[in-house]
């Protein structure tokens, strides 16, 4: 009886009785690992297909594929300016729509002279109501609009308590983001649907997948841009209109040129625009730039409470 009480014998007896459970758990673990490996391989293939292969192939004739003219809304921001230059490089004429034309006259003139395309500037403040659409209608009349690029107003990107934002500032932000994107898209969509070709790109921010403290209006508007794009895709995709939700990460501003801050995670605007344009016709919802896709994938693994804590810490340091 003393031998029965030894640990090796007891261990063998317990192992023999639990062997079926151990084998079952091992099988479940193997299946889980295999599924994760397959998912990782699929994600890698999608990343290569979306961000690398299109850049190896010379882009087709964008004018013939989508249309001659592009409307750029929110053109005072960095990304739409670079996007406009990239479209102009492919022979697309540009219509800039902005609430403040300061500095855009030189941009329009430079694009026109450098690429030999027409560049029109329309000053429209959507906080003035529906009458803002009239000058836009007059400009786009009889023009083949192939591209509508709407960009989120970044004026409220800096962290601030919601009650500290004035009513006039909030009205201006909402009208020149949500209202402008909705109304401009509505003006161009009938012609696109009739010709069965065209592109609508809504540029928001990669933070739209999580709420951000002290950025309530900004993060909510990014979510609107994303859902607006996805809904339009289901509504107009079968009519030949390609709708894309573009959710970039951090992009260097014009004042950061030559700074050590810029790099592969913080690309120059023209670098980002070139990558983003190559995803047209391929992905309806993307960051537009492969390092941002990797960054967003990692952030999705972070629990929401940790994300909120991170945002609070960052807001205190700014």
């Amino acid at each position: 009886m003393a031998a029965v009480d030894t640990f090796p014998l007891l261990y063998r007896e317990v192992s023999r009785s639990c062997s079926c459970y151990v084998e079952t758990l091992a099988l479940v673990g193997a299946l889980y690992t295999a599924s994760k490996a397959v998912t990782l391989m699929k994600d890698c293939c999608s990343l290569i297909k979306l961000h690398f292969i299109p850049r190896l192939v010379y882009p087709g004739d964008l004018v013939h594929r989508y249309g001659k003219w592009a409307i750029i809304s929110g053109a005072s921001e960095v990304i739409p300016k670079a996007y406009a230059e990239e479209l102009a490089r492919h022979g697309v004429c540009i219509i800039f729509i902005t609430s403040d034309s300061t500095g855009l006259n030189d941009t329009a003139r430079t694009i026109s002279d450098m690429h030999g395309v027409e560049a029109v500037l329309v000053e429209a403040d959507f906080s003035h109501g529906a009458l803002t659409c009239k000058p836009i209608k007059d400009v786009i009349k009889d023009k083949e609009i192939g591209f509508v690029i709407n960009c989120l107003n970044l004026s409220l990107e800096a962290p601030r308590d919601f009650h500290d934002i004035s009513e006039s500032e909030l009205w201006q932000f909402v009208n020149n983001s949500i209202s402008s994107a909705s109304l401009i898209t509505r003006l161009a969509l009938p012609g696109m649907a009739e010709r069965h070709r065209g592109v609508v790109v809504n540029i928001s921010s990669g933070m739209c997948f999580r709420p951000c403290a002290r950025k309530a209006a900004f993060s909510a508007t990014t979510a609107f841009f994303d859902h607006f794009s996805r809904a339009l895709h289901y509504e107009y995709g079968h009519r030949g209109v390609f709708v894309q939700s573009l959710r970039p990460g951090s992009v260097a501003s014009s004042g950061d040129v030559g700074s050590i801050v810029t790099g592969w995670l913080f690309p120059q605007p023209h670098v980002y625009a070139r990558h983003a344009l190559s995803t047209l016709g391929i992905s309806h919802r993307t960051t537009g730039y492969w390092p941002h896709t990797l960054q967003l994938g990692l952030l999705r693994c972070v629990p929401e409470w940790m994300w909120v804590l991170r945002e609070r810490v960052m807001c205190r340091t700014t």
Side-chain angles (χ1 to χ4, degrees):
M1 290 297 294
V4 177
D5 296 332
T6 61
F7 178 77
L9 181 59
L10 181 62
Y11 178 77
R12 284 196 301 271
E13 291 296 325
V14 173
S15 298
R16 189 179 297 112
S17 63
C18 296
S19 60
C20 60
Y21 300 108
V22 173
E23 291 174 0
T24 302
L25 290 174
L27 179 61
V28 171
L31 291 174
Y32 178 80
T33 303
S35 67
K36 288 299 182 181
V38 170
T39 302
L40 180 61
M41 289 179 61
K42 288 175 62 178
D43 290 342
C44 291
C45 290
S46 299
L47 188 72
I48 293 171
K49 179 182 177 182
L50 175 60
H51 294 290
F52 292 96
I53 293 179
R55 291 187 50 75
L56 298 176
V57 182
Y58 187 79
D61 188 349
L62 295 181
V63 174
H64 176 74
R65 186 177 178 183
Y66 297 116
K68 178 68 176 176
W69 286 84
I71 300 176
I72 310 292
S73 172
S76 58
E77 305 295 345
V78 173
I79 293 178
K81 277 185 186 178
Y83 211 109
E85 292 181 11
E86 192 62 25
L87 286 174
R89 194 168 68 89
H90 292 280
V92 179
C93 298
I94 307 297
I95 301 173
F96 288 110
I97 299 178
T98 179
S99 58
D100 185 8
S101 60
T102 305
L104 277 179
N105 287 308
D106 293 337
T107 301
R109 192 179 305 110
T110 300
I111 288 177
S112 181
D113 294 341
M114 184 177 297
H115 302 288
V117 298
E118 293 184 62
V120 180
L121 182 61
V122 180
E123 189 167 343
D125 188 349
F126 283 86
S127 61
H128 295 159
L131 292 176
T132 309
C133 292
K134 187 178 185 308
I136 302 174
K137 289 179 181 179
D138 295 338
V139 169
I140 70 174
K141 184 175 59 177
D142 301 327
K143 286 184 173 65
E144 185 187 43
I145 305 298
F147 301 83
V148 173
I149 315 298
N150 298 308
C151 185
L152 179 66
N153 188 322
L154 301 180
S155 61
L156 294 183
E157 186 178 20
R160 293 165 61 186
D161 290 332
F162 189 73
H163 69 270
D164 289 336
I165 304 173
S166 66
E167 292 182 11
S168 59
E169 189 177 3
L170 193 58
W171 271 112
Q172 187 174 14
F173 171 78
V174 171
N175 285 319
N176 287 314
S177 291
I178 296 176
S179 299
S180 64
S182 303
L183 291 171
I184 291 172
T185 302
R186 182 185 176 279
L187 291 177
L189 268 178
M192 292 181 177
E194 184 179 350
R195 294 189 302 271
H196 291 279
R197 60 175 184 158
V199 168
V200 177
V201 179
N202 293 313
I203 306 173
S204 56
S205 172
M207 70 170 57
C208 64
F209 75 103
R210 290 278 171 82
C212 298
R214 302 191 69 201
K215 296 182 182 180
F218 182 78
S219 61
T221 308
T222 60
F224 167 82
F225 268 58
D226 187 46
H227 282 261
F228 181 52
S229 304
R230 294 163 68 186
L232 286 179
H233 160 61
Y234 292 125
E235 187 174 349
Y236 286 91
H238 67 283
R239 304 186 194 183
V241 180
F242 183 84
V243 184
Q244 184 182 65
S245 174
L246 200 58
R247 306 172 298 159
S250 298
V251 176
S253 64
S254 56
D256 293 331
V257 176
S259 171
I260 60 173
V261 176
T262 61
W264 69 287
L265 272 179
F266 302 93
Q268 295 294 335
H270 69 276
V271 174
Y272 175 81
R274 194 168 301 146
H275 278 79
L277 191 62
S278 68
T279 65
L280 279 185
I282 302 174
S283 176
H284 295 278
R285 193 171 183 236
T286 176
T287 64
Y289 183 60
W290 70 268
H292 289 172
T293 300
L294 295 177
Q295 190 179 32
L296 185 61
L298 292 174
L299 289 176
R300 284 186 178 279
C301 300
V302 177
E304 185 165 318
W305 68 267
M306 194 176 294
W307 168 266
V308 173
L309 180 62
R310 167 189 171 273
E311 287 296 312
R312 285 177 179 173
V313 171
M314 291 185 65
C315 287
R316 287 197 187 103
T317 59
T318 54

